[in-house]
Amino acid sequence: MITTAFLGLGAMGFPMAAHLARAAVPGDRTLVWNRTFSKAQAHAAQYGTQAASLEEVAQADFIFSCLPTSAEVDELIARLRAHLKSGAWWIDCTSGHPAAAPRQATELAALGVRFIDAPVSGGVAGAGEGRLTVMLGGPEADVAAVLPRLAFAGKAVRVGDTGAGFAVKAMNNALLAATLWATGESLAVLARSGVELGAALEVINASSGRSNASENLIAQRVLTRQFPPTFALGLLAKDAGIALDMVQAVGGSAPLLAQTAGLVRGAAHLIGAKQDHTAALKLIEQMNGVELK
């Protein structure tokens, strides 16, 4: 009997854990834990998982975590270390810091637990449909061993050794921030020029300026004025900051990424860190005296 545990039932984790439960063979168990225990109980009622204590999830064969930052993962490792099962795997789907991964892997290895960094991309919709992109960091053999367990993945790619998954995730989200911000600025200028924004987006999305921000995020969330809270602006700022940390760590030159990180951080302070990340464009609206609609 294989026991799988999932720690962190946020907007992404809740459906991801459901896919793990659906993929379990008869006799296997899927445990779920969340800091707010009622979420774990709700998951168990909806998907047939088992709401569990930290002591119980520590004995799982496969532990998945999906938490806001590496700091929360560090906290859980510290709380679980006396109870972890030797021979287990810890697969961290957090958008973590590349510098944290080798340290976490070493700490867990001393306890007989193997660590893989496995952040995901694809949003809440991708999590619900089981088509997330998973970027994995770790030794080739270890990554190959956990691939069959990624029931929530539509695409899974090993991008390098420990920490590489976190690194690619940070840069991916920095690109998200950059394209979102640049598209927002462009649309604000067009709005001030009297251009109809829906038509402008139609042209952009059939041209070389298109991106996920223009094709999906802005059309569905900004122009509709909905801004559904799926991925927090504060978390996007955190990821852009991680990308900037990477630039500094390797002595690189990335002034556009640095400026993007500062702009998104400022938007999080002024608009609200808990707002959806697309709400960053509200700051651009204020700067230009227009509303993107």
Side-chain angles (χ1 to χ4, degrees):
M1 181 178 71
I2 300 295
T3 299
T4 300
F6 199 98
L7 314 180
L9 300 173
M12 297 290 288
F14 203 90
M16 289 168 67
H19 285 292
L20 295 180
R22 294 188 189 104
V25 302
D28 287 354
R29 295 192 304 158
T30 304
L31 310 180
V32 290
W33 175 89
N34 195 75
R35 193 181 302 273
T36 303
F37 194 66
S38 60
K39 282 192 176 182
Q41 293 173 316
H43 197 280
Q46 186 170 350
Y47 296 111
T49 52
Q50 178 183 333
S53 67
L54 283 178
E55 289 74 16
E56 289 172 315
V57 301
Q59 286 298 298
D61 301 287
F62 293 89
I63 297 174
F64 288 82
S65 50
C66 189
L67 300 166
T69 72
S70 290
E72 284 86 357
V73 179
D74 285 337
E75 178 186 345
L76 284 184
I77 292 174
R79 294 176 66 180
L80 295 177
R81 59 178 298 116
H83 308 282
L84 288 169
K85 179 179 179 180
S86 180
W89 297 80
W90 191 306
I91 302 101
D92 187 20
C93 301
T94 301
S95 295
H97 201 296
R103 172 177 48 75
Q104 291 167 339
T106 299
E107 183 176 354
L108 289 169
L111 305 171
V113 177
R114 282 171 284 191
F115 175 89
I116 299 289
D117 51 298
V120 301
S121 182
V124 174
E129 296 168 8
R131 55 174 179 80
L132 291 173
T133 299
V134 188
M135 46 216 88
L136 299 114
E140 289 187 27
D142 288 357
V143 169
V146 304
L147 284 176
R149 298 284 167 182
L150 305 179
F152 44 75
K155 186 178 186 66
V157 180
R158 178 183 179 269
V159 293
D161 289 326
T162 303
F166 290 160
V168 174
K169 173 63 175 180
M171 284 300 176
N172 178 76
N173 280 12
L175 286 170
L176 163 62
T179 56
L180 178 65
W181 191 273
T183 306
E185 286 189 351
S186 299
L187 291 177
V189 172
L190 289 173
R192 289 188 62 85
S193 303
V195 174
E196 200 279 303
L197 296 188
L201 270 182
E202 183 178 355
V203 172
I204 290 169
N205 289 334
S207 306
S208 56
R210 67 187 181 276
S211 65
N212 178 59
S214 67
E215 291 181 325
N216 298 305
L217 298 177
I218 293 174
Q220 296 172 11
R221 304 185 185 201
V222 180
L223 299 192
T224 61
R225 313 310 295 171
Q226 292 182 355
F227 303 102
T230 57
F231 176 44
L233 177 53
L235 293 180
L236 179 61
K238 179 264 295 182
D239 291 341
I242 291 174
L244 189 55
D245 288 345
M246 293 170 56
V247 174
Q248 297 299 322
V250 300
S253 177
L256 180 58
L257 291 183
Q259 187 172 43
T260 299
L263 290 168
V264 176
R265 179 65 66 189
H269 289 320
L270 295 172
I271 303 301
K274 293 184 179 180
Q275 297 294 311
D276 187 69
H277 63 295
T278 55
L281 271 58
K282 291 182 179 180
L283 181 55
I284 295 175
E285 292 176 333
Q286 293 176 17
M287 294 164 62
N288 287 276
V290 296
E291 188 174 79
L292 304 181
K293 61 181 180 180

